[in-house]
Amino acid sequence: MLSKLTSAMSSVFGARKGSGAPQVPAEPEGAASAPVQATDELDSMIPDYSIADYVGGGGAEQFKSVGRIMVGWFQAYGDLKPDEKVLEVGCGIGRIAIPLTQYLRGGTYDGFDIVSRGIEWCQQRVTPRYPNFRFFHSDIYNQCYNPQGKLAGHEYTFPFEDGTFDFVFLTSVFTHMLPADVERYTAEIGRVLKPGGRCFCTAYLISPEARGFLDRGESRMNFVPCEAGYWTDSPENPEAATAYPEEYLLGL
């Protein structure tokens, strides 16, 4: 199961340089289809891609497809239930929250992000229709996405009580964070999860398999090691794309 999930995530979140937008994979084998329908109501919450391109390429149709597939993965791999309390770390402009509105009928959703325009869109377009979906801006510094941010990620405390959530997810967030910030966020995720809660997280892993691709020039990303222990595809702006040794993330 893990190998299938890893392969599918590679297709969604990575594209070989120069190959254009990544391909969206099929839903996981044996997974229940996410109960998300293409409705006028959903379409009215999907932003124009001129303000949403920072969450990934592919345009509006891929915006919708990726969100729907992720909801299916949460059910298949994270055992997400419709009545659970959910936190999204790095919610962007609602790419996953929007289809989740059709699934979390008896539950709640909270999401935060460091890019203010995405939060403002969700507050205006999603919360009025679905009051159980709440969004807030965290003004955390990130060289790539929020260079004027006032807070340091490694000092940030999630504004929730211990043991609040059944399910926490973050997609392509640790791919843009440095080690001290990753460690802090990991600790905070553990703190706000209920006993027995689950976390669904994507990341770039430097594994033996990935090293082989890098050595042969076949990797989707041209990661190089840094003295601080992480790898980056952009030494001049490392938070544009960061990767971590597999054993390091498993240790966290």
Side-chain angles (χ1 to χ4, degrees), residues 67-82:
R68 173 178 54 80
I69 289 168
M70 295 305 295
V71 175
W73 283 353
F74 296 163
Q75 297 172 74
Y77 302 116
D79 196 29
L80 178 63
K81 301 294 193 301

Side-chain angles (χ1 to χ4, degrees), residues 106-123:
T108 64
Y109 167 100
D110 288 277
F112 70 87
D113 200 272
I114 67 175
V115 180
S116 60
R117 67 180 183 274
I119 294 299
E120 291 166 1
W121 176 274
C122 292
Q123 289 172 339

Side-chain angles (χ1 to χ4, degrees), residues 11 58 61-62 80 110 128 138 146 150 168 182 184 204 245 250:
S11 299
E61 287 306 312
Q62 185 156 303
L80 178 63
D110 288 277
S138 296
N146 192 25
K150 297 180 175 61
V168 176
V182 169
R184 176 64 174 183
Y204 288 125
L250 289 175

Side-chain angles (χ1 to χ4, degrees), residues 101-208:
T101 61
Q102 307 305 294
Y103 184 70
L104 287 180
R105 293 301 193 180
T108 64
Y109 167 100
D110 288 277
F112 70 87
D113 200 272
I114 67 175
V115 180
S116 60
R117 67 180 183 274
I119 294 299
E120 291 166 1
W121 176 274
C122 292
Q123 289 172 339
Q124 294 168 8
R125 296 299 185 98
V126 180
T127 300
R129 294 176 172 87
Y130 298 94
N132 58 326
F133 277 66
R134 299 175 291 265
F135 303 86
F136 60 95
H137 179 232
S138 296
D139 194 18
I140 297 169
Y141 170 83
N142 183 279
Q143 183 180 350
C144 185
Y145 288 100
N146 192 25
Q148 304 303 318
K150 297 180 175 61
L151 305 172
H154 62 272
E155 297 176 342
Y156 183 63
T157 299
F158 293 4
F160 302 102
E161 298 294 330
D162 296 2
T164 297
F165 297 100
D166 301 289
F167 189 79
V168 176
F169 71 92
L170 54 164
T171 60
S172 197
V173 173
F174 286 171
T175 57
H176 303 290
M177 295 177 67
L178 300 181
D181 301 335
V182 169
E183 292 169 11
R184 176 64 174 183
Y185 271 45
T186 302
E188 283 296 286
I189 289 167
R191 181 183 66 79
V192 302
L193 274 172
K194 296 178 181 179
R198 292 91 64 212
C199 177
F200 184 108
C201 173
T202 70
Y204 288 125
L205 295 180
I206 302 299
S207 63

Side-chain angles (χ1 to χ4, degrees), residues 6 27 43 71 133 209 229 231:
T6 303
E27 293 184 15
D43 287 342
V71 175
F133 277 66
E209 182 181 21
W231 296 54

Side-chain angles (χ1 to χ4, degrees), residues 19-73:
S19 65
Q23 297 298 308
V24 177
E27 293 184 15
E29 181 180 341
S33 296
V36 178
Q37 303 298 321
T39 66
D40 290 341
E41 183 176 15
L42 285 182
D43 287 342
S44 69
M45 292 185 284
I46 293 172
D48 184 286
Y49 232 71
S50 64
I51 63 169
D53 60 350
Y54 69 95
V55 301
E61 287 306 312
Q62 185 156 303
F63 184 98
K64 292 188 286 187
S65 296
V66 169
R68 173 178 54 80
I69 289 168
M70 295 305 295
V71 175
W73 283 353

